[in-house]
């Protein structure tokens, strides 16, 4: 039973992720490539906008969580922040090393894509087992 629930919530999480990604990634790449905003502020813009979408869709649709508390909001924000810092903090130097022959613009755009993938994986587990965990 738990295995089926795990897969079901993961599929829902991925659907929410597509919606969240369209919103957040649009903001991130528009800030970085059109507005000339640097790497970290662009990434933060992504997760500020996408995080709001993600919170409500994952809370009610993915994890069907009815808890209403400031503690839960704080757990969600902490999960997003920690996952973002780890994912993008690892992605940037790894891509810089892998693509040393390319300029910073290419490296940072690729690092943003790699960071998104790492973030998605980390964030699922953080939200499922920490932010929206079932109350006892």
């Amino acid at each position: 039973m738990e295995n089926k629930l795990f897969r079901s919530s993961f599929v829902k999480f991925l659907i929410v992720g597509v919606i969240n990604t369209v919103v957040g990634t649009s903001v991130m790449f528009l800030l970085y490539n059109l507005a000339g905003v640097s790497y970290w502020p662009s990434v933060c813009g992504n997760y500020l906008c996408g995080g709001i979408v993600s919170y409500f869709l994952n809370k009610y649709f993915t994890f069907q969580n009815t808890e209403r508390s400031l503690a839960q909001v704080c757990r969600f924000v902490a999960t997003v922040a920690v996952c973002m810092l780890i994912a993008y903090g690892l992605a940037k130097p790894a891509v810089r090393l892998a693509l040393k022959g390319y300029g910073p613009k290419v490296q940072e755009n690729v690092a943003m894509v790699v960071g998104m993938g790492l973030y998605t994986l980390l964030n699922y587990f953080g939200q499922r087992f920490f932010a929206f965990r079932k109350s006892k």
Side-chain angles (χ1 to χ4, degrees):
M1 180 84 174
E2 178 63 29
N3 202 10
K4 183 180 177 186
L5 179 65
F6 182 85
R7 281 180 286 174
S8 174
S9 67
F10 189 68
V11 169
K12 289 178 180 180
F13 184 80
L14 291 176
I15 292 167
V16 168
V18 169
I19 295 166
N20 178 21
T21 298
V22 168
V23 172
T25 305
S26 297
V27 169
M28 179 172 66
F29 285 115
L30 288 170
L31 286 172
Y32 185 79
N33 292 300
L34 294 180
V37 177
S38 66
Y39 181 83
W40 282 109
S42 296
V43 167
C44 289
N46 174 358
Y47 287 96
L48 179 63
C49 294
I52 293 167
V53 171
S54 176
Y55 177 80
F56 288 104
L57 289 178
N58 279 316
K59 177 178 175 62
Y60 296 108
F61 172 68
T62 305
F63 301 112
Q64 298 172 355
N65 184 287
T66 56
E67 178 184 339
R68 292 178 186 226
S69 72
L70 180 59
Q72 184 180 67
V73 173
C74 291
R75 287 192 312 265
F76 177 83
V77 169
T79 299
V80 169
V82 168
C83 292
M84 181 188 75
L85 290 172
I86 291 170
Y88 286 88
L90 292 173
K92 190 172 181 182
V95 169
R96 188 179 313 148
L97 183 64
L99 300 178
K100 351 181 211 201
Y102 294 87
K105 199 82 157 166
V106 170
Q107 290 176 349
E108 290 184 345
N109 273 286
V110 172
M112 287 180 197
V113 173
V114 170
M116 286 169 40
L118 289 171
Y119 172 84
T120 299
L121 187 61
L122 294 170
N123 191 41
Y124 171 74
F125 290 104
Q127 286 193 35
R128 185 169 194 279
F129 297 111
F130 181 65
F132 297 120
R133 68 180 181 250
K134 298 283 185 200
S135 298
K136 295 178 182 173

